[in-house]
Amino acid sequence: MKILTASILGALSFLPICSLLGAGASEPQIEADGWKGVSPRDEIRPSFEFVANGGPSARGSLIIRADERDGLDGHWVKTFPVQGVHYYQFRAVRRLVNAPVPRRSALARILWRDGAGRPVVHDEPGASSYAPGKSPVAEPEYPSDRDTGPSGWTEVADTYRAPERATEAIVELYLRWAPRAEVQWSEISLSETSAPPARKVRLATVHFRPSGKKSAAENCRLFAPFIEEAARKKADLVVLPETLTVCGTSLSYAEAAEPVPGPSTEYFSTLAKKHGLHLVVGLVERERHLIYNVAVLIGPDGHIIGKYRKVSLPRSEIEGGITPGEEYPVFDTRIGKVGLMVCYDGFFPEVARQLSNRGAEIIAFPVWGCNPLLAAARACENHVFLVSSTYTDPKDNWMISAIYDREGHVLEQARDWGTVAVTEVDLNQRLHWSSLGDFRAEIPRHRPVWPGEAEALKR
């Protein structure tokens, strides 16, 4: 592994503490190993300081401080040499004080440039929704926030493939929009590394509407052959439709409701374990006097990984005595991070956004019926794969049983009753948009701050 810069150390160890003053300073007075403190405008410039023995390992830290004024914005910047088509791992640690929303205020960016300092293009075509077939300009990369240690240092890291024409990587380390805040950046490196492995996952949807049965157990058994078919097609995750113990049985919600775990989850757990796959099942759950419209995620070992209680209830479910859920869990699985939402949730952007905020890469969507344009929007606006399973006939020009990509395009659809659609996706493959770049990485840095977000982060 070739280390382009391991950290702020070495020749800098003899330097005293040096300050780069705030507003009114048109140019920084010093550089720290090539790092410069800059700002879009002098009047919103924070102060910059290098501490030779700073950081968690006392190897040096780059500090940015904001005074009491709103809107201050500055960053440290340094250029590193790179080779096109080689892979690089960026890593730094940061400690942040008094910034209510760290995702927006303390971030790193990487810009790819040629030898003349000009932007370069990616080597492959990007998203097809805009400028299809063209290789997009390499917009800034946004490394992800990782774990925060007990001493308050957060790792910021990611691995990238340098575009073919890139000879330079400009690294920027920010503090912005946080009065009285301070950030320390340390242990900054951009290291040549090997290509990360693909994370290929086979996603499946079942298009089937039960009818003619009188009990929840009978309805459950109708889905066994479709799960078996998905397994033959090597599916890793299979999504079944909403409230499948109610559909076609004439049972009320209350009559079909059962505990989770309960008889239906026990049946589907047996099938998930038999076929070695993840299974999402739409059921009606009873807990004491309450009933919920629920989606349950079962793992390939037959154990229940988790459940989601439908938050957005239509009139018929409210009138049927169903209680809304209030949590947005995302589950770590061996195939990736999976979120669940159910039917009417698709009409509202909040549910899918809450799931993507929590890291969902795939959203499983048991759904009786919904506007398919909204399902596509939920996938596109959150840059996630979405798998829907519905009772709606495609002839009705309404909801479909399909796998949507991160642009909201349908990758595969189960069009006929009693069919299974399966497709393979790579969760590690970045999708670059013209003018936006890697939008999935950009969302947390740019999406608005919602009321209560800062307070929730403190809990």
Side-chain angles (χ1 to χ4, degrees), residues 419-453:
T419 59
V420 178
V422 183
T423 195
E424 186 174 85
V425 302
D426 183 355
L427 298 180
N428 268 358
Q429 185 174 7
R430 299 181 187 275
L431 177 65
H432 297 99
W433 294 67
S434 293
S435 80
L436 285 175
D438 179 359
F439 186 51
R440 179 173 177 81
E442 194 167 89
I443 288 173
R445 307 310 188 183
H446 289 179
R447 66 177 172 83
V449 177
W450 295 103
E453 179 178 357

Side-chain angles (χ1 to χ4, degrees), residues 118-414:
R118 296 170 300 199
V120 297
V121 297
H122 286 288
D123 304 329
E124 307 86 15
S128 61
S129 301
Y130 174 60
K134 293 184 179 180
S135 296
V137 171
E139 304 290 346
E141 312 280 12
Y142 291 83
S144 302
D145 293 348
R146 309 288 180 167
D147 293 335
T148 299
S151 59
W153 290 91
T154 300
E155 183 182 35
V156 181
D158 257 318
T159 298
Y160 302 97
R161 180 183 184 273
E164 182 178 6
R165 297 179 185 176
T167 61
E168 298 176 347
I170 301 174
V171 175
E172 301 173 338
L173 308 172
Y174 279 82
L175 177 67
R176 63 188 185 194
W177 311 334
R180 299 183 180 86
E182 174 186 296
V183 66
Q184 292 189 62
W185 292 95
S186 188
E187 299 183 7
I188 307 142
S189 62
L190 189 67
S191 308
E192 190 172 331
T193 188
S194 56
R199 283 200 296 146
K200 293 185 178 180
V201 178
R202 293 183 66 80
L203 306 175
T205 177
V206 172
H207 188 58
F208 176 68
R209 180 170 186 148
S211 63
K213 302 301 179 181
K214 301 299 183 183
S215 70
E218 289 177 293
N219 263 18
C220 291
R221 289 194 289 269
L222 292 175
F223 285 90
F226 308 121
I227 297 169
E228 183 177 358
E229 180 183 348
R232 286 198 303 269
K233 295 179 177 179
K234 303 185 185 306
D236 296 301
L237 173 69
V238 181
V239 179
L240 306 184
E242 177 187 17
T243 57
L244 60 81
T245 51
V246 171
C247 183
T249 62
S250 299
L251 295 174
S252 68
Y253 294 125
E255 290 168 336
E258 60 187 73
V260 174
S264 295
T265 56
E266 182 178 347
Y267 176 77
F268 285 113
S269 292
T270 301
L271 295 179
K273 184 175 183 179
K274 175 183 178 181
H275 298 296
L277 46 73
H278 296 78
L279 194 57
V280 175
V281 184
L283 300 171
V284 185
E285 178 191 18
R286 172 175 287 279
E287 185 178 71
R288 304 186 314 277
H289 62 291
L290 302 177
I291 58 174
Y292 300 93
N293 186 335
V294 67
V296 181
L297 174 61
I298 302 169
D301 59 359
H303 293 149
I304 294 175
I305 296 174
K307 64 186 177 184
Y308 162 76
R309 291 168 170 172
K310 184 176 179 181
V311 171
S312 310
L313 300 185
R315 293 186 302 273
S316 59
E317 293 181 18
I318 297 171
E319 293 165 0
I322 289 180
T323 299
E326 54 185 21
E327 296 180 343
Y328 305 90
V330 170
F331 306 103
D332 281 307
T333 75
R334 74 181 189 191
I335 61 172
K337 293 182 180 293
V338 179
L340 314 172
M341 67 180 192
V342 180
C343 198
Y344 200 49
D345 288 331
F347 283 88
F348 305 93
E350 291 85 353
V351 178
R353 177 48 55 88
Q354 288 290 342
L355 297 175
S356 70
N357 288 351
R358 289 161 171 78
E361 301 169 289
I362 303 163
I363 294 179
F365 188 30
V367 48
W368 200 292
C370 183
N371 188 329
L373 294 176
L374 294 177
R378 301 295 85 87
C380 181
E381 69 196 0
N382 294 292
H383 219 59
V384 297
F385 294 100
L386 185 145
V387 187
S388 59
S389 178
T390 182
Y391 298 126
T392 304
D393 192 326
K395 296 175 184 177
D396 293 337
N397 196 31
W398 198 231
M399 194 57 212
I400 59 176
S401 296
I403 300 105
Y404 293 81
D405 70 10
R406 294 164 174 162
E407 293 184 70
H409 297 152
V410 173
L411 294 173
E412 291 290 343
Q413 178 183 350

